[in-house]
PDB file of all heavy atoms in Angstrom:
ATOM      1  N   ASP A  90     -53.325  33.875   0.014  1.00 62.00           N
ATOM      2  CA  ASP A  90     -52.331  34.107  -1.056  1.00 62.00           C
ATOM      3  C   ASP A  90     -51.732  32.790  -1.534  1.00 62.00           C
ATOM      4  O   ASP A  90     -51.525  32.574  -2.728  1.00 62.00           O
ATOM      5  CB  ASP A  90     -51.217  35.024  -0.551  1.00 62.00           C
ATOM      6  CG  ASP A  90     -51.737  36.439  -0.293  1.00 62.00           C
ATOM      7  OD1 ASP A  90     -52.802  36.758  -0.844  1.00 62.00           O
ATOM      8  OD2 ASP A  90     -51.056  37.187   0.440  1.00 62.00           O
ATOM      9  N   ARG A  91     -51.422  31.872  -0.617  1.00 56.00           N
ATOM     10  CA  ARG A  91     -50.839  30.589  -1.023  1.00 56.00           C
ATOM     11  C   ARG A  91     -51.827  29.749  -1.801  1.00 56.00           C
ATOM     12  O   ARG A  91     -51.457  29.013  -2.716  1.00 56.00           O
ATOM     13  CB  ARG A  91     -50.359  29.828   0.214  1.00 56.00           C
ATOM     14  CG  ARG A  91     -49.172  30.483   0.916  1.00 56.00           C
ATOM     15  CD  ARG A  91     -48.745  29.719   2.135  1.00 56.00           C
ATOM     16  NE  ARG A  91     -48.329  28.373   1.767  1.00 56.00           N
ATOM     17  CZ  ARG A  91     -47.958  27.447   2.661  1.00 56.00           C
ATOM     18  NH1 ARG A  91     -47.947  27.722   3.943  1.00 56.00           N
ATOM     19  NH2 ARG A  91     -47.581  26.250   2.265  1.00 56.00           N
ATOM     20  N   ALA A  92     -53.077  29.871  -1.468  1.00 50.00           N
ATOM     21  CA  ALA A  92     -54.096  29.134  -2.222  1.00 50.00           C
ATOM     22  C   ALA A  92     -54.199  29.644  -3.639  1.00 50.00           C
ATOM     23  O   ALA A  92     -54.295  28.874  -4.595  1.00 50.00           O
ATOM     24  CB  ALA A  92     -55.443  29.252  -1.513  1.00 50.00           C
ATOM     25  N   LEU A  93     -54.133  30.975  -3.818  1.00 56.00           N
ATOM     26  CA  LEU A  93     -54.165  31.532  -5.168  1.00 56.00           C
ATOM     27  C   LEU A  93     -52.931  31.121  -5.959  1.00 56.00           C
ATOM     28  O   LEU A  93     -52.991  30.818  -7.142  1.00 56.00           O
ATOM     29  CB  LEU A  93     -54.267  33.058  -5.093  1.00 56.00           C
ATOM     30  CG  LEU A  93     -55.598  33.617  -4.546  1.00 56.00           C
ATOM     31  CD1 LEU A  93     -55.526  35.123  -4.434  1.00 56.00           C
ATOM     32  CD2 LEU A  93     -56.766  33.208  -5.439  1.00 56.00           C
ATOM     33  N   ALA A  94     -51.750  31.112  -5.292  1.00 51.00           N
ATOM     34  CA  ALA A  94     -50.515  30.710  -5.982  1.00 51.00           C
ATOM     35  C   ALA A  94     -50.567  29.246  -6.381  1.00 51.00           C
ATOM     36  O   ALA A  94     -50.047  28.845  -7.412  1.00 51.00           O
ATOM     37  CB  ALA A  94     -49.308  30.969  -5.086  1.00 51.00           C
ATOM     38  N   ALA A  95     -51.175  28.402  -5.566  1.00 47.00           N
ATOM     39  CA  ALA A  95     -51.275  26.976  -5.898  1.00 47.00           C
ATOM     40  C   ALA A  95     -52.128  26.742  -7.120  1.00 47.00           C
ATOM     41  O   ALA A  95     -51.902  25.807  -7.883  1.00 47.00           O
ATOM     42  CB  ALA A  95     -51.839  26.207  -4.710  1.00 47.00           C
ATOM     43  N   GLU A  96     -53.115  27.618  -7.355  1.00 50.00           N
ATOM     44  CA  GLU A  96     -53.932  27.472  -8.560  1.00 50.00           C
ATOM     45  C   GLU A  96     -53.112  27.741  -9.815  1.00 50.00           C
ATOM     46  O   GLU A  96     -53.294  27.101 -10.844  1.00 50.00           O
ATOM     47  CB  GLU A  96     -55.124  28.424  -8.492  1.00 50.00           C
ATOM     48  CG  GLU A  96     -56.120  28.053  -7.374  1.00 50.00           C
ATOM     49  CD  GLU A  96     -57.281  29.041  -7.322  1.00 50.00           C
ATOM     50  OE1 GLU A  96     -57.262  29.974  -8.147  1.00 50.00           O
ATOM     51  OE2 GLU A  96     -58.191  28.875  -6.493  1.00 50.00           O
ATOM     52  N   ASP A  97     -52.183  28.719  -9.731  1.00 50.00           N
ATOM     53  CA  ASP A  97     -51.352  29.037 -10.905  1.00 50.00           C
ATOM     54  C   ASP A  97     -50.226  28.034 -11.087  1.00 50.00           C
ATOM     55  O   ASP A  97     -49.821  27.737 -12.202  1.00 50.00           O
ATOM     56  CB  ASP A  97     -50.769  30.458 -10.758  1.00 50.00           C
ATOM     57  CG  ASP A  97     -51.864  31.508 -10.708  1.00 50.00           C
ATOM     58  OD1 ASP A  97     -52.962  31.223 -11.251  1.00 50.00           O
ATOM     59  OD2 ASP A  97     -51.625  32.577 -10.129  1.00 50.00           O
ATOM     60  N   ASP A  98     -49.660  27.496 -10.011  1.00 46.00           N
ATOM     61  CA  ASP A  98     -48.516  26.576 -10.107  1.00 46.00           C
ATOM     62  C   ASP A  98     -48.778  25.374  -9.201  1.00 46.00           C
ATOM     63  O   ASP A  98     -48.281  25.305  -8.081  1.00 46.00           O
ATOM     64  CB  ASP A  98     -47.229  27.299  -9.682  1.00 46.00           C
ATOM     65  CG  ASP A  98     -46.015  26.433  -9.926  1.00 46.00           C
ATOM     66  OD1 ASP A  98     -46.156  25.408 -10.623  1.00 46.00           O
ATOM     67  OD2 ASP A  98     -44.939  26.790  -9.407  1.00 46.00           O
ATOM     68  N   PRO A  99     -49.571  24.423  -9.622  1.00 46.00           N
ATOM     69  CA  PRO A  99     -49.913  23.292  -8.758  1.00 46.00           C
ATOM     70  C   PRO A  99     -48.695  22.433  -8.461  1.00 46.00           C
ATOM     71  O   PRO A  99     -47.777  22.347  -9.246  1.00 46.00           O
ATOM     72  CB  PRO A  99     -50.953  22.525  -9.574  1.00 46.00           C
ATOM     73  CG  PRO A  99     -50.657  22.904 -10.988  1.00 46.00           C
ATOM     74  CD  PRO A  99     -50.176  24.323 -10.940  1.00 46.00           C
ATOM     75  N   ALA A 100     -48.685  21.809  -7.306  1.00 43.00           N
ATOM     76  CA  ALA A 100     -47.564  20.950  -6.914  1.00 43.00           C
ATOM     77  C   ALA A 100     -47.503  19.719  -7.796  1.00 43.00           C
ATOM     78  O   ALA A 100     -48.520  19.177  -8.190  1.00 43.00           O
ATOM     79  CB  ALA A 100     -47.716  20.546  -5.442  1.00 43.00           C
TER      80      ALA A 100
END
Side-chain angles (χ1 to χ4, degrees):
D90 292 341
R91 292 179 61 183
L93 292 176
E96 293 179 0
D97 298 335
D98 187 12

